[in-house]
Amino acid sequence: VTGLPAPAGEINAPLLKDPSSNTVRVDPGGKEALTRYRLIAGEKDISLVEIELITGRSHQARVHMASAGHPVLGDVRYGAGEVNARWRKSGVCRPLLHSWKLAFGSLAGRLEALAGKTLAAPPAEDMASIIAARGWPLPRE
């Protein structure tokens, strides 16, 4: 994300989707949405955070972090234009958002085989190279 957020936080703000523009915004008329985050490593310009989506709304992580003043780096829809333009020169051409771990609780029916399982994947090379260049730890289970 851009900037240096607090070491940990919770963003509890309803989200309203505008289907015509495929955008989402924080709005009292929206659906309940809760996001928790934890700073893994950071500097004044950018930080690596772990984001836990308690609810699962469209664009939730991107909108909540932007509403907290720390948009996802490379996010042209909800991000910081000037910061993104600087990083685009370094090859950042997408939102640097990665779902590194997905854990399933109890499930029934067709998805029952996934119950209790956790899937993990390393970040893509563009994101991993920025993390490595800063000397930050990669997320792990």
Side-chain angles (χ1 to χ4, degrees):
V1 297
T2 63
L4 183 61
E10 188 172 278
I11 304 164
N12 189 355
L15 297 177
L16 183 65
K17 186 170 186 176
D18 178 357
S20 64
S21 64
N22 193 29
T23 58
V24 175
R25 70 180 185 276
V26 171
D27 188 285
K31 293 181 178 179
E32 177 186 346
L34 178 60
T35 301
R36 292 186 182 124
Y37 72 88
R38 179 179 67 87
L39 179 66
I40 295 172
E43 297 172 14
K44 186 176 164 187
D45 60 342
I46 62 169
S47 297
L48 179 63
V49 295
E50 177 183 81
I51 298 172
E52 181 182 9
L53 303 175
I54 306 304
T55 53
R57 307 287 178 215
S58 294
H59 305 205
Q60 179 177 327
R62 296 163 63 198
V63 175
H64 270 177
M65 292 309 294
S67 76
H70 301 287
V72 171
L73 184 63
D75 187 346
V76 296
R77 184 167 290 174
Y78 305 110
E82 186 180 308
V83 175
N84 288 341
R86 270 196 320 267
W87 279 92
R88 196 169 298 114
K89 293 174 185 172
S90 299
V92 174
C93 56
R94 67 173 184 93
L96 291 184
L97 186 64
H98 174 70
S99 181
W100 69 274
K101 184 170 81 173
L102 181 60
F104 295 95
S106 60
L107 297 169
R110 294 173 45 196
L111 299 176
E112 187 174 17
L114 293 172
K117 295 199 180 198
T118 298
L119 307 174
E125 181 55 39
D126 58 349
M127 191 171 182
S129 67
I130 292 172
I131 292 168
R134 297 274 171 139
W136 295 343
L138 282 171
R140 55 189 147 134
E141 287 189 57

